[in-house]
Amino acid sequence: FWLKTPMLYCSMRPWPCCHSLLYGPRTLPVRWHIHTRNFLKRKIPPHPALGDHNTEEYDTRHGRKWMEHPRKEFRKPVLYSTIGRLNFKPGTSSGILRWFRPRSNAWKRRLNEQYRKRWPSDENIDMEFFAEYFKKPWKRRTFLETAHALPLHGVGYTFCRTTRPQESFLLRYVKFTERPIKGRMRGQFLFNGKPALEDVATLHKSVGRWKGSPPSNMSHVVRPDFPEVKEQEQ
């Protein structure tokens, strides 16, 4: 607490500074009033909105609403429940036990939720709305989102992250419970190209930077080019 008070901001040692205020500046010749003035004139950054992962324009375009803070002059996103789960009980206040709320794991999951429910307007229901998770930046696209856009949902592909190129994952089975954000996968874990574990799920599936390489016998899945259309002779 004493580090945040203006009068004690001049020294990291509380006793000499308090001693100088009581018995004069001779015991500790510190110009504490200069530090106090700088402390009061410091630039405080704007208050971050709790639970914001994107800008307000992006969330409004994809059906996630923002609201005015009831006691402060800034806007914050509405913390909807997760896609595929029940809504929060009507009348439940997030301010219950406010002193305990920052320490609650449920409150932390609510703030870090990446797949909140979406309520778009009529003019925003288009292809861009449905392709939101496919258009995510590559650095934020998760494993399931990357695999869902590949043929056969990525089965047979070898995935690896650029941050750990020595570790790779050969996907053999995937089942989506909520496409393309939730599902179960099983495969083979490879280390330096050699099998290490069988019938396991991949690590770091909720982070981005995934790359998938197709197998060598993938020609039977990829559709060949259409033949050239010959003009009929009249």
Side-chain angles (χ1 to χ4, degrees):
F1 172 76
W2 61 272
L3 289 175
K4 298 182 180 180
T5 55
M7 290 188 300
L8 305 181
Y9 185 70
C10 59
S11 176
M12 295 297 293
R13 296 173 296 177
W15 180 82
C17 188
C18 296
H19 192 273
S20 63
L21 294 176
L22 295 176
Y23 299 100
R26 294 183 179 180
T27 57
L28 184 64
V30 177
R31 302 178 63 182
W32 61 270
H33 60 280
I34 298 179
H35 297 277
T36 304
R37 181 180 58 192
N38 296 336
F39 182 85
L40 296 177
K41 291 184 179 181
R42 71 191 190 281
K43 294 183 180 180
I44 302 177
H47 193 283
L50 296 177
D52 60 334
H53 304 292
N54 302 292
T55 60
E56 182 177 359
E57 292 77 12
Y58 180 89
D59 286 346
T60 305
R61 175 68 179 83
H62 295 89
R64 287 179 285 268
K65 299 180 182 179
W66 284 49
M67 60 178 294
E68 293 286 346
H69 196 279
R71 294 180 298 273
K72 299 180 181 179
E73 297 180 355
F74 65 90
R75 296 177 62 83
K76 66 174 185 177
V78 180
L79 303 180
Y80 291 115
S81 57
T82 312
I83 296 176
R85 296 187 179 181
L86 297 177
N87 295 332
F88 298 115
K89 185 178 180 180
T92 302
S93 174
S94 60
I96 299 178
L97 297 178
R98 188 172 182 178
W99 61 271
F100 182 72
R101 186 175 64 181
R103 303 174 180 85
S104 173
N105 292 329
W107 175 252
K108 293 178 182 179
R109 289 194 300 266
R110 193 169 176 179
L111 294 179
N112 298 329
E113 180 59 50
Q114 300 288 339
Y115 304 107
R116 299 190 181 106
K117 291 182 179 178
R118 304 180 296 175
W119 309 95
S121 56
D122 295 339
E123 60 271 10
N124 291 334
I125 300 178
D126 50 9
M127 295 301 297
E128 185 176 356
F129 169 77
F130 291 102
E132 175 188 2
Y133 301 117
F134 296 99
K135 296 179 60 178
K136 288 176 62 175
W138 172 71
K139 295 182 179 180
R140 297 176 53 189
R141 195 180 306 151
T142 62
F143 178 86
L144 290 176
E145 293 171 352
T146 304
H148 189 270
L150 299 175
L152 299 179
H153 292 167
V155 175
Y157 278 66
T158 302
F159 296 87
C160 68
R161 298 186 65 222
T162 56
T163 55
R164 296 187 177 183
Q166 70 277 7
E167 300 178 2
S168 57
F169 181 76
L170 177 60
L171 183 62
R172 298 189 182 278
Y173 168 81
V174 61
K175 182 179 180 181
F176 287 93
T177 55
E178 297 171 13
R179 297 191 303 172
I181 59 178
K182 292 182 180 180
R184 298 181 60 186
M185 82 287 293
R186 286 293 183 270
Q188 185 182 42
F189 177 75
L190 307 174
F191 188 81
N192 289 331
K194 298 180 180 180
L197 296 174
E198 290 284 350
D199 195 20
V200 295
T202 181
L203 299 174
H204 311 287
K205 62 180 181 180
S206 299
V207 296
R209 300 177 182 271
W210 285 98
K211 287 186 176 182
S213 56
S216 58
N217 56 349
M218 202 66 180
S219 59
H220 65 283
V221 178
V222 181
R223 179 186 57 80
D225 297 335
F226 285 105
E228 296 181 0
V229 179
K230 297 182 179 180
E231 298 180 359
Q232 298 181 359
E233 298 180 358
Q234 297 181 355

